[in-house]
Amino acid sequence: MTGYDLAVIGLGYVGMPLAKEATAAGLRVVGFEVDPRKVDALNAGRSYIDDLTDADLEHMLAHGFSATLDETVLSRSRTVVICVPTPLDEDHRPDLSAVEGATATVARNLAPGTLVVLESTTWPGTTDEVARPLLESSGLAAGKDFHLAFSPERIDPGNPKFGLRNTPKVVGGYTAACRDVATAFYAQFIEQVVPVSGTREAEMAKLLENTYRHVNIALVNEMAIFCDELGINLWESIEAAATKPFGFQKFLPGPGVGGHCIPVDPSYLSYTVRKLGYPFRFVELAQEINERMPSYVVARAQRLLNRHKKAVNGSRVLLLGVTYKPDIADERETPALPVARALMELGADLVFADPYVREWTVDGVSVPREENLAKAVAEADITLLLQQHAAFDLTTVEDHGTLVLDTRGVLAEGERVERL
């Protein structure tokens, strides 16, 4: 029976780049998924990941990679890396059901000497308190019969400069030996591995990274609200501050935060602190500010229409860019969704334009897609630029837009164009 150097559980935005780099380094890699559609697509050479082209996938397949629904491949793999989603539930608490399910699957197929690594973002203590007991239900002991580690994913979809290989990889082990084995594994295809003393430190590092961004984005978002009332061009102030060569990092306001990391990860940290009996006030305040930005965008659009004697009700509103970041197709936690939802509740006639999204629905209601940018902005009563895809001709938006609200600070302000 064929043995593998690596089995990746969860073949999404985290798992597939990992499988790609490991395959390129000459490792024998197999991907395990519970979704048969993903398995079929990958084995047929069809990628559904922004950072993985069909050509990349064909190269992987030619060098031995395959995807499977058969969990027994885990028992024949020297290393198993878990890359499954960790969303929030309806009450904004961590939902570890996918991690627990994947870990239980590993436990059923765990062979002595295997390295098991969790990459899914989670609260500090998960590897030791949730994953380890499930794995040890196999009868094997962590640190003795198998190696256990945590290494947070740092995937940034669409980033042309930093990918898996050249982004430093933090690794924490259940024991020092576990850390060393995991470090040696990742060093085969990642340029710099950063070992830390334990799994909790590695888990916390990921939450710290994204909470830092979350809080600073909330800071400029709140500034955007009061700078508008004070008549201050915050965008210009930010660019001026950014000329300081030390002590300042530029963050920009926007219609809200999206993706998996920023809207979700700080809640994992807040959850951990609340278990100690008190709130993490910085995080929870940042969450409150960032979550209100979509409604603020709608209020600004409403105000802009009112100035031109129009109501939102019955107005044709064009949303430009409905993904969570520019130049990718990823819609996870996109702020375009709550913006659209609020506009629909006010009676707006919604349309959208996005080169990366062919079909888009809001609470089950299909939103018509516009192909011709110039025609779309000319026909709309107001255009909301939510995402600055490079494919958008911004001059066309400025020249042909009836009214435009720019939430990204990339258009020249004028009589008809207003910045957030």
Side-chain angles (χ1 to χ4, degrees):
M1 299 177 74
T2 304
Y4 300 98
D5 298 308
L6 169 63
V8 179
I9 302 181
L11 304 180
Y13 283 86
V14 176
M16 286 310 297
L18 175 66
K20 173 189 170 183
E21 291 297 344
T23 301
L27 275 65
R28 293 163 297 173
V29 182
V30 65
F32 171 70
E33 249 295 343
V34 295
D35 185 343
R37 294 170 300 178
K38 288 185 177 180
V39 170
D40 290 344
L42 291 172
N43 288 333
R46 298 192 308 274
S47 174
Y48 45 81
I49 304 297
D50 281 303
D51 290 340
L52 187 76
T53 66
D54 287 352
D56 291 332
L57 184 53
E58 289 290 353
H59 187 268
M60 291 172 65
L61 293 168
H63 287 79
F65 173 78
S66 64
T68 183
L69 298 167
D70 178 11
E71 67 180 59
T72 64
V73 297
L74 305 178
S75 66
R76 306 193 299 276
S77 302
R78 295 173 60 190
T79 298
V80 177
V81 179
I82 299 171
C83 304
V84 295
T86 47
L88 300 174
D89 65 17
E90 292 181 356
D91 298 318
H92 273 239
R93 295 175 304 187
D95 179 359
L96 295 185
S97 57
V99 167
E100 291 168 344
T103 307
T105 303
V106 176
R108 289 195 297 270
N109 298 277
L110 188 58
T114 304
L115 167 63
V116 181
V117 185
L118 178 61
E119 287 205 4
S120 306
T121 303
T122 184
W123 47 267
T126 300
T127 305
D128 184 34
E129 298 168 20
V130 177
R132 183 173 62 84
L134 284 169
L135 292 168
E136 290 184 339
S137 68
S138 64
L140 302 178
K144 179 183 176 185
D145 302 313
F146 69 94
H147 302 289
L148 177 62
F150 180 83
S151 181
E153 59 89 2
R154 281 174 162 173
I155 299 297
D156 185 18
N159 191 320
K161 183 176 181 182
F162 291 106
L164 187 76
R165 175 173 288 278
N166 66 346
T167 300
K169 196 86 168 82
V170 174
V171 174
Y174 174 62
T175 65
C178 293
R179 176 198 64 209
D180 293 344
V181 170
T183 298
F185 164 71
Y186 282 113
Q188 296 175 92
F189 52 91
I190 292 177
E191 293 172 6
Q192 181 185 357
V193 181
V194 183
V196 294
S197 60
T199 56
R200 283 174 171 80
E201 286 72 20
E203 290 161 335
M204 180 59 80
K206 171 67 172 180
L207 298 184
L208 175 59
E209 293 168 18
N210 287 327
T211 300
Y212 169 80
R213 293 171 60 203
H214 182 59
V215 169
N216 281 282
I217 291 168
L219 173 66
V220 293
N221 275 337
E222 188 165 39
M223 282 184 165
I225 294 170
F226 68 71
C227 280
D228 172 58
E229 295 189 27
L230 292 171
I232 296 169
N233 185 333
L234 176 62
W235 302 93
E236 187 176 346
S237 297
I238 291 171
E239 293 303 325
T243 62
K244 185 179 180 181
F246 54 88
F248 182 82
Q249 183 177 356
K250 183 170 76 172
F251 289 86
L252 297 172
V257 292
H260 175 272
C261 295
I262 304 300
V264 176
D265 294 0
S267 293
Y268 275 68
L269 189 50
S270 177
Y271 168 81
T272 304
V273 175
R274 279 197 170 273
K275 289 198 296 181
L276 301 176
Y278 49 87
F280 191 173
R281 288 178 291 174
F282 248 58
V283 164
E284 292 174 16
L285 179 59
Q287 197 90 4
E288 178 187 329
I289 292 167
N290 287 333
E291 285 181 355
R292 80 176 184 183
M293 288 308 291
S295 62
Y296 176 68
V297 167
V298 172
R300 287 287 300 275
Q302 201 167 12
R303 189 181 77 185
L304 188 52
L305 282 167
N306 284 345
R307 284 177 182 165
H308 291 79
K309 305 187 186 308
K310 293 183 180 180
V312 174
N313 190 356
S315 287
R316 185 177 180 84
V317 180
L318 170 65
L319 303 183
L320 286 186
V322 296
T323 61
Y324 91 85
K325 65 182 296 188
D327 304 325
I328 63 169
D330 197 340
E331 298 174 43
R332 290 177 298 172
E333 304 295 330
T334 173
L337 187 59
V339 167
R341 185 178 290 126
L343 287 167
M344 289 172 71
E345 287 174 358
L346 290 170
D349 176 18
L350 277 191
V351 293
F352 84 98
D354 194 306
Y356 296 93
V357 179
R358 306 302 303 178
E359 296 179 353
W360 194 53
T361 60
V362 177
D363 299 333
V365 178
S366 180
V367 179
R369 182 177 188 269
E370 294 288 338
E371 294 275 358
N372 186 310
L373 183 64
K375 179 173 177 288
V377 296
E379 291 180 351
D381 292 299
I382 187 170
T383 296
L384 273 57
L385 178 63
L386 299 179
Q387 201 53 264
Q388 71 277 35
H389 294 308
F392 288 147
D393 183 345
L394 300 183
T395 303
T396 296
V397 179
E398 291 168 348
D399 292 346
H400 296 277
T402 306
L403 294 173
V404 182
L405 178 62
D406 171 17
T407 71
R408 295 298 179 177
V410 294
L411 301 177
E413 285 195 283
E415 185 181 342
R416 293 172 290 105
V417 179
E418 216 176 79
R419 282 182 175 180
L420 193 62

